Amino acid sequence: MLKEGSLFTIKNFKVVESTFAYRPIEFPLTIILSALTVMNNLAEDVVDIPINEFQFIKPTMIDSRVDSHTVLSDVVGCLYEIGDIENCGSKSKTREIKIITDYFEKVKITLWEELGDKFAPSLYNKDVGPYIVIVTSTTVKEFCGEITSNVN
């Protein structure tokens, strides 16, 4: 079993062009594992590889991501507002949060269902901050002329 932070050699796999509807990173290739794939754990001190990577985009690129779900977007900024839970349709609920990015852009992020419930306003004390928020794998949408990032 693969474990985050561990290193492996991998044999008998395929590398194919990424054609999936949703991708966590912007990369043209995907690795496909099969029943013939062999993985061996390496010693931890063989090589140092960072565990996580984010691809933050400049504000000028946001428009190109609207309704394009091929590559999901990561957003980071300083939290300045948490909205109330709102019903959206008959069964869905959302909570909007607002952040200011390092480019001084204001970004509205819609948290759906359970994520909206977990992001409670009681966690946010304006007198203590600032609070830095990182939201990964968002889709970018435009509604009534306003661009929002959405995460389910």
Side-chain angles (χ1 to χ4, degrees), residues 119-134:
F119 209 101
S122 61
L123 300 173
Y124 173 57
N125 181 345
K126 291 182 182 180
D127 298 329
V128 177
Y131 293 90
I132 305 301
V133 175
I134 299 173

Side-chain angles (χ1 to χ4, degrees), residues 51-65:
I51 294 176
N52 297 310
E53 178 180 305
F54 299 100
Q55 289 184 328
F56 299 109
I57 61 172
K58 292 184 170 54
T60 54
M61 292 182 63
I62 291 174
D63 287 343
S64 69
R65 298 277 176 98

Side-chain angles (χ1 to χ4, degrees), residues 60-128:
T60 54
M61 292 182 63
I62 291 174
D63 287 343
S64 69
R65 298 277 176 98
V66 172
D67 294 327
S68 173
H69 303 150
T70 304
V71 178
L72 304 175
S73 300
D74 300 334
V75 184
V76 64
C78 190
L79 181 68
Y80 73 92
E81 186 178 318
I82 300 177
D84 294 327
I85 293 285
E86 295 182 14
N87 290 323
C88 182
S90 61
K91 295 184 180 181
S92 299
K93 29 184 205 176
T94 64
R95 179 189 307 274
E96 291 181 351
I97 63 171
K98 295 181 181 178
I99 64 171
I100 299 174
T101 70
D102 59 345
Y103 297 101
F104 299 103
E105 296 281 328
K106 292 184 176 181
V107 177
K108 181 168 68 172
I109 302 167
T110 304
L111 304 173
W112 288 80
E113 302 298 338
E114 190 176 304
L115 289 174
D117 289 333
K118 289 182 178 179
F119 209 101
S122 61
L123 300 173
Y124 173 57
N125 181 345
K126 291 182 182 180
D127 298 329
V128 177

